[in-house]
Amino acid sequence: MRHHVDALRTTISRRGFLIALPLFVAGCSSTGLNSQTNYAALPDEKFPLRQVPIDKIKPELRRQEVAYETTHAAGTIVVDTTARRAYYVLGDGRAVRYGVGVGREGLAFAGNAYIGRKAEWPSWTPTENMQRREERYRKLAGGMPGGPNNPLGARAMYLYRGGGDTHFRIHGTNQPQSIGLAMSSGCIRMMNHDVIDLYSRVEVGARVVVIQA
């Protein structure tokens, strides 16, 4: 009788393990699935974006929610130029982390600002210095329309101080390979999928804090 009970327990335990196994496997794979979903194709964009294979993005540069202790209020964007990371503060010790690329203009800005304007698929006008330096930029003195070849990418958030434009931007890029790096030009650039996500979270007036080394 005891042998029969032990055998029955073994059968039930094995059956329970087999039932739980798919749930366990699904749980293990959910993080990877969500990461790829973050970079899925966006066919409804004005200029549709293709899916970005997750294995093309370094794990530390992928958008993800992380633990983040800070005194900044929820809704604040914190840009750490040295670490090449940006954080959207959620509150309660959490934030959404993004990988960013930092250009020379980005390294010249530090401290507090706020988003004074937002634009989808923004136009771009080279600075006067760029126009003086190179003929190709002088040809764009009237501005370059938004689109897949525009260096500001899919979205731009314009940083202001005291009611004035600082000429510092958080924007997308048509050079996703530059994320995580220091670049020779530009402000703070993000992958187009990531800048679309951040853009959807913030409103005009949101606080931005830029941390330099």
Side-chain angles (χ1 to χ4, degrees), residues 111-188:
N112 298 324
Y114 63 91
I115 295 177
R117 183 165 75 90
K118 297 167 59 179
E120 299 186 14
W121 294 101
S123 61
W124 173 69
T125 302
T127 65
E128 292 182 1
N129 285 338
M130 294 172 75
Q131 292 179 41
R132 282 194 294 267
R133 195 165 58 238
E134 296 187 43
E135 171 65 23
R136 60 178 176 142
Y137 292 133
R138 287 194 287 276
K139 294 179 180 178
L140 295 172
M144 179 181 186
N149 296 320
N150 190 298
L152 292 185
R155 302 286 190 274
M157 287 158 277
Y158 300 78
L159 272 58
Y160 281 53
R161 271 180 179 163
D165 188 353
T166 66
H167 301 288
F168 182 89
R169 286 89 172 91
I170 299 173
H171 60 85
T173 182
N174 55 17
Q175 297 178 312
Q177 69 277 8
S178 66
I179 300 304
L181 304 176
M183 308 304 296
S184 60
S185 63
C187 294
I188 298 297

Side-chain angles (χ1 to χ4, degrees), residues 7-17:
L8 181 60
R9 286 175 177 168
T10 300
T11 301
I12 292 173
S13 297
R14 177 175 175 79
R15 185 178 300 161
F17 172 77

